[in-house]
């Protein structure tokens, strides 16, 4: 993968058409340093509302299951020109090591973008590349250079891409996307002292200097569980898939539930798609014992024969079990078809979502799930839906396709790098971990010294007419963590 040494719109006198267009374009997002101390932070909604004539045309975090696709062409095609002073090209060019081994590296702010640009996730990688290029157009200075490099989604690919990036003078690495590639890239980047802001949501690859900036499911659960406690639900249980994803969540649940003031009871696992799934849910629901309790109670009432007993029997008509569950909030991180199956079995074995608060993750934000009767009333943490709509509409008008949901990670991370390089000139660990955080497409976020990310999530509830926000995303971190 190669790219032009300088942006092709650069003029001989050093000024660029890129920057002339960008200056009269309202930015998609403001990444504000010192968020908590800044009361005048411009909102994304205000910025998008300021779009002027002549500006560029706008268009669980499970990328493999996302149905959207990135366009096959570059940012500009004959059929889809970029209005303005000049076109923003795809950026194909010479080999990176040939182009970037020069004196310009001393002055340019070079940032590598490591993505799966080949292989089974090529389209997702390309869409995220487009999102990062959009951020570069919006907020980057003249000396900012974005260098997309292919990882092929593998450990070895991550290593090789990081080598290329560092040899080319990268001051920061954005990506990779998958934990395996992050592991490969981080080994090389740490040795060179180059910070990495990865798009993975797997906290196992987080460490000092390597940030996991994806949508972390444990934090989503914490946000939704915290809301549940405000509704009087304190006794938590969890039903998790028997895989790495489920085990990762299980390891954090005790801390998550304690942090929001609840108590964690049973944590059970099931094998997704197995023949034993029904029995696993039946056992978790304690169905047989509760069913036996109902039958025993009916026999007692029938033996009594009094008028009061007959009235009690009448009330038990249509009741399937008797006896309370030992939890009133249930954490269900499954998504898609697996969630449909699990929730339907829970309902069948008399775990009633009207009595037990079902709690999910951002993966629940799927219109295909909103019609599931068993999930009505369920809650999940989500990123600000208004901000995402503004971004996705712009992306679609620019590229002709809806962006994958996680493409906003590439936009926000690229914008963060551009802002740091432009305003402070420093893309260091200290600058990245500003405790006041930043504002992006996905709301407020900050990166910690331990390599984690923290975000401000909204809480949504599945209602008869779709998912609705029941608790808005916070505007500052003193309202979250």
């Amino acid at each position: 993968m190669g790219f032009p040494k300088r942006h092709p719109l650069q003029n001989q006198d050093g000024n660029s058409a890129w920057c002339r267009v960008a200056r009269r374009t309202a930015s998609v997002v403001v990444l504000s340093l010192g968020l908590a101390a800044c009361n005048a932070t411009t909102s994304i909604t205000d910025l998008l509302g300021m779009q002027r004539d002549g500006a560029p045309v706008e268009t669980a975090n499970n990328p493999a299951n996302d149905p959207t696709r990135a366009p096959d062409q570059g940012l500009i095609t004959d059929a889809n020109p970029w209005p303005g002073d000049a076109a923003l090209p795809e950026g194909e060019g010479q080999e990176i090591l040939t182009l970037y081994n020069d004196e310009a590296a001393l002055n340019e702010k070079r940032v590598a973008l490591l993505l799966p640009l080949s292989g089974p996730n090529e389209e997702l990688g390309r869409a995220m590349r487009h999102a990062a290029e959009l951020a570069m157009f919006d907020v980057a200075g003249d000396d900012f250079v974005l260098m997309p490099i292919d990882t092929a989604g593998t450990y070895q690919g991550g290593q090789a891409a990081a080598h290329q990036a560092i040899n080319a003078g990268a001051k920061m690495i954005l990506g990779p996307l998958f934990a395996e590639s992050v592991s490969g890239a981080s080994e090389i980047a740490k040795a060179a002292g180059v910070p990495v802001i990865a798009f993975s949501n797997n906290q196992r690859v987080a460490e000092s200097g390597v940030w996991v900036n994806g949508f972390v499911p444990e934090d989503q659960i914490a946000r939704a569980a915290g809301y549940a406690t405000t509704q009087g639900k304190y006794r938590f249980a969890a039903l998790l898939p028997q895989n790495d994803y489920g085990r990762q969540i299980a390891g954090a649940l005790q801390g998550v539930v304690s942090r929001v003031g609840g108590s964690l009871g049973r944590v059970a696992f099931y094998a997704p798609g197995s023949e034993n799934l029904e029995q696993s849910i039946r056992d978790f629901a304690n169905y047989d014992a509760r069913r036996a309790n109902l039958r025993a109670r009916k026999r007692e009432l029938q033996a009594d024969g009094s008028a009061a007993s007959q009235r009690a029997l009448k009330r038990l008509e249509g009741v399937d079990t008797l006896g309370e569950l030992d939890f009133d909030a249930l954490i269900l991180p499954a998504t898609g078809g697996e969630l449909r199956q699990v929730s339907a079995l829970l309902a069948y074995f008399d775990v009633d979502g009207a009595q037990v608060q079902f709690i999910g993750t951002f993966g629940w934000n799927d219109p295909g799930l909103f019609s599931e009767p068993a999930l009505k009333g369920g809650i999940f943490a989500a990123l600000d839906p208004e901000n995402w709509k503004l971004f996705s509409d712009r992306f679609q008008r620019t590229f002709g396709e809806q962006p994958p949901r996680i493409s906003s990670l590439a936009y926000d991370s690229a914008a963060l790098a551009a802002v740091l390089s432009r305003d402070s000139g420093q893309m260091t660990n200290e600058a990245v971990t500003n405790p006041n955080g930043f504002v992006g497409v996905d709301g407020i976020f900050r990166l910690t010294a331990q390599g984690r990310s923290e975000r401000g999530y909204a809480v949504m509830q599945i209602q008869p007419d779709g998912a609705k926000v029941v608790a808005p995303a916070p505007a500052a971190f003193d309202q979250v963590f």
Side-chain angles (χ1 to χ4, degrees), residues 223-235:
R223 174 66 169 129
Y227 175 81
T229 62
T230 69
Q231 308 303 303
K233 307 293 187 180
Y234 296 97
R235 299 178 299 137

Side-chain angles (χ1 to χ4, degrees), residues 72-85:
D72 290 334
Q73 304 301 318
L75 286 171
I76 298 302
T77 66
D78 292 338
N80 184 30
W82 186 287
D85 294 345

